[in-house]
């Protein structure tokens, strides 16, 4: 459809059959797009079918099948998106790699702090631990503690990042050594600024052990801690996701690392990004309560909503992060009911689509089984991805400044227009 023809389509929505014809796909694929969040459906008033916004359908048609990896096999960019050279993460059809090394293999052998340090410096330091400076942590805790009681953990992380930056007089020093020192102190500051629900671990505890009691009052077993540690490693980076792109834009104008992380956290709060695991958590909890995945999935689809925790635009098959976490969760006894519920959700949806479980569903199994709040998965995501944002900032600081300044394509009224 041409731009001139778009206004004529307003007010009339497309049926599933018309949408499939316009996209050149089968009707089943249309619903797969809905499940992936690429299309929004609306139930027909008084009917059994779904309708679709023609402008949204045409935008998807223009960009091609955005749920498939881009040409070249890295899967890191959608059609029409700018390509940014990076040496951090490569995404393949069924695997992804940190600096050329399989990320799943790294998660099996090393902890979050070790992998983060390796991404930042290219040097692996076994047993490295990050620590938060007392003055910086005190400022972050005061700021996060001043928030209203209904504030979520990511709200506290955002405020803590700002407070930590204000408390650091060297924040504008973008030399490599200073940025690395900032990164090593900022991540534990964010974790330790979260309120405790369980028992405080020792000062030399790993990041996963320090994060666990801030997610739940349930005492951890070793298998659960290993799962959380693996999740932190697997979520450190995933190429130029929306929050990472926002972080790189901030770094391109030479914003300091605290501001870079704040930019990433802002984008992460979008319901189509970091918050997706909370939706999967609530769905799994409902499946366990009702004892039927089929009923829950049916209700979601009837309401025109996607099934959370299924499908990923970069992986035509299974999400390797979900596979790795499910394997670890199988060793957690209390996770068995939630894991079975997740598998049932996946099997139910597979009757009509080719969607597989993604990392959000795996995080939901962990959070539900450990008695965590629905937002726990997003918290894990934010803490881990902070290390990735710093890695991208270090890379971007080495590029020419202000290079991420796209030009707008003006679509408003042509001048001159009368003065209002």
């Amino acid at each position: 459809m041409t731009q001139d023809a778009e206004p004529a389509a307003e007010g009339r929505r497309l049926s599933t059959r018309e949408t499939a014809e316009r996209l050149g796909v089968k009707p089943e694929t249309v619903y797969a797009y809905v499940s992936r969040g690429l299309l929004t459906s609306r139930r027909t008033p008084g009917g059994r079918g779904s309708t679709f916004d023609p402008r949204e359908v045409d935008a998807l048609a223009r960009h091609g099948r955005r749920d498939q990896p881009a040409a070249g096999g890295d899967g890191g960019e959608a059609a029409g998106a700018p390509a940014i050279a990076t040496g951090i993460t490569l995404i393949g059809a069924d695997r992804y790699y940190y600096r050329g090394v399989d990320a799943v293999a790294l998660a099996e052998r090393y902890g979050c702090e070790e992998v983060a340090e390796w991404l930042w410096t290219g040097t692996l330091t076994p047993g490295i631990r990050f620590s938060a400076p007392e003055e910086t942590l005190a400022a972050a805790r005061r700021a996060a503690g001043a928030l209203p009681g209904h504030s979520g953990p990511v709200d506290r992380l955002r405020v803590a990042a700002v407070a930590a930056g204000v408390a650091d007089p060297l924040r504008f020093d973008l030399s490599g050594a200073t940025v690395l020192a900032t990164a090593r102190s900022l991540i534990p500051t964010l974790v330790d600024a979260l309120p405790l629900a369980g028992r405080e671990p020792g000062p030399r505890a790993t990041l996963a052990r320090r994060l666990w009691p801030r997610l739940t009052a349930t005492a951890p077993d070793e298998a659960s801690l290993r799962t959380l540690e693996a999740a932190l490693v697997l979520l450190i980076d995933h190429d130029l996701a929306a929050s990472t792109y926002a972080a790189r834009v901030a770094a391109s104008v030479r914003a300091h690392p605290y501001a870079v992380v704040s930019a990433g956290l802002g984008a992460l709060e979008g319901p189509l990004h970091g918050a997706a695991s909370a939706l999967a958590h609530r769905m799994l909890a409902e499946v366990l309560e009702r004892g039927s995945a089929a009923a829950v999935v049916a209700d979601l689809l009837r309401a025109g909503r996607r099934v959370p925790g299924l499908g990923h635009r970069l992986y035509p098959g299974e999400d390797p992060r979900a596979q790795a976490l499910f394997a670890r969760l199988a060793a957690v006894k209390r996770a068995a009911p939630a894991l079975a519920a997740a598998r049932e959700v996946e099997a139910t949806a597979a009757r009509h689509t080719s969607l597989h479980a993604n990392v959000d569903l795996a995080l939901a199994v962990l959070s539900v089984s450990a008695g965590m709040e629905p937002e726990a998965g997003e918290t894990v995501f934010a803490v881990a991805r902070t290390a990735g944002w710093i890695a991208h900032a270090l890379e971007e600081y080495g590029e020419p400044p202000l290079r991420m300044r796209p030009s707008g394509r003006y679509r408003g009224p042509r001048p001159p227009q009368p003065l209002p």
Side-chain angles (χ1 to χ4, degrees):
M1 183 190 304
T2 64
Q3 182 177 337
D4 293 338
E6 285 182 359
E10 294 182 359
R12 180 185 179 278
R13 296 178 63 83
L14 301 175
S15 67
T16 302
R17 180 183 59 80
E18 291 172 324
T19 299
E21 291 176 352
R22 191 168 292 198
L23 292 174
V25 299
K26 297 179 180 179
E28 292 83 358
T29 305
V30 173
Y31 288 110
Y33 288 161
V34 173
S35 298
R36 288 182 169 94
L38 300 177
L39 283 177
T40 305
S41 65
R42 185 187 300 170
R43 301 295 296 179
T44 304
R48 299 176 59 187
S50 298
T51 62
F52 301 85
D53 186 335
R55 290 166 296 182
E56 189 178 40
V57 172
D58 287 336
L60 179 58
R62 284 195 297 270
H63 288 298
R65 289 192 56 184
R66 293 178 293 171
D67 61 323
Q68 296 296 327
D74 64 355
E77 60 185 87
I84 297 173
T86 175
I88 299 172
T89 301
L90 171 67
I91 298 179
D94 60 355
R95 288 284 171 181
Y96 69 112
Y97 307 85
Y98 293 157
R99 297 201 184 279
V101 179
D102 190 309
V104 173
L106 284 167
E108 291 173 352
R109 186 165 181 178
Y110 300 108
C112 177
E113 290 150 296
E114 294 166 318
V115 175
E117 182 75 14
W118 177 69
L119 274 182
W120 298 336
T121 67
T123 300
L124 189 70
T125 307
I128 189 172
R129 298 287 182 268
F130 300 155
S131 60
E134 291 186 9
E135 183 178 350
T136 302
L137 178 57
R141 281 176 168 167
R142 284 195 301 269
L147 293 177
H150 66 266
S151 303
V154 177
D155 295 322
R156 299 181 188 280
L157 291 177
R158 292 170 63 196
V159 170
V162 173
V166 173
D168 183 1
L170 299 179
R171 64 186 179 275
F172 296 106
D173 182 354
L174 300 186
S175 63
T178 301
V179 172
L180 286 171
T182 297
R184 295 180 187 119
S185 65
L186 175 57
I187 296 177
T189 296
L190 296 180
V191 171
D192 292 350
L194 294 172
L196 274 169
R199 181 179 298 179
E200 178 78 77
R204 289 291 297 168
T206 63
L207 203 64
R209 286 186 180 274
R210 289 156 72 174
L211 179 59
W212 182 277
R214 289 167 168 83
L215 299 175
T216 178
T218 303
D221 55 80
E222 287 302 315
S224 296
L225 280 172
R226 285 195 295 269
T227 302
L228 178 58
E229 188 76 73
L232 289 169
V233 173
L234 294 168
L235 291 171
I236 284 178
D237 193 53
H238 208 231
D239 194 41
L240 290 186
S243 58
T244 303
Y245 184 70
R248 286 199 77 130
V249 170
S252 76
V253 297
R254 299 305 184 256
H256 55 70
Y258 301 95
V260 167
V261 170
S262 295
L265 287 169
L268 189 69
E269 280 224 291
L272 300 181
H273 194 11
S277 61
L279 301 176
H281 175 110
R282 294 186 175 94
M283 177 190 66
L284 277 191
E286 185 178 356
V287 170
L288 290 171
E289 180 182 355
R290 296 175 63 177
S292 170
V296 174
V297 170
D299 286 350
L300 287 169
L301 296 178
R302 183 178 185 182
R305 295 161 57 192
R306 63 187 294 268
V307 180
L310 297 181
H312 196 285
R313 60 182 291 184
L314 298 182
Y315 299 113
E318 297 185 15
D319 184 336
R321 301 169 299 176
Q323 287 180 295
L325 292 180
F326 282 149
R328 288 181 176 263
L329 286 163
V332 180
K333 292 183 178 179
R334 63 177 167 226
L339 184 57
R343 292 303 193 191
E344 188 183 353
V345 168
E346 185 178 26
T348 300
R351 298 175 188 175
H352 299 292
T353 69
S354 59
L355 298 178
H356 297 279
N358 61 33
V359 71
D360 296 313
L361 191 60
L363 287 174
V365 172
L366 174 64
S367 60
V368 168
S369 63
M372 299 175 183
E373 294 296 319
E375 295 78 17
E378 184 179 3
T379 307
V380 175
F381 198 112
V383 169
R385 195 55 59 89
T386 297
W389 296 331
I390 295 294
H392 280 272
L394 284 163
E395 198 173 61
E396 189 60 36
Y397 289 151
E399 297 287 347
L402 295 168
R403 68 184 186 127
M404 294 189 186
R405 175 46 169 100
S407 298
R409 185 166 58 185
Y410 181 71
R411 299 180 65 181
R414 303 305 304 177
Q417 295 289 320
L419 186 69

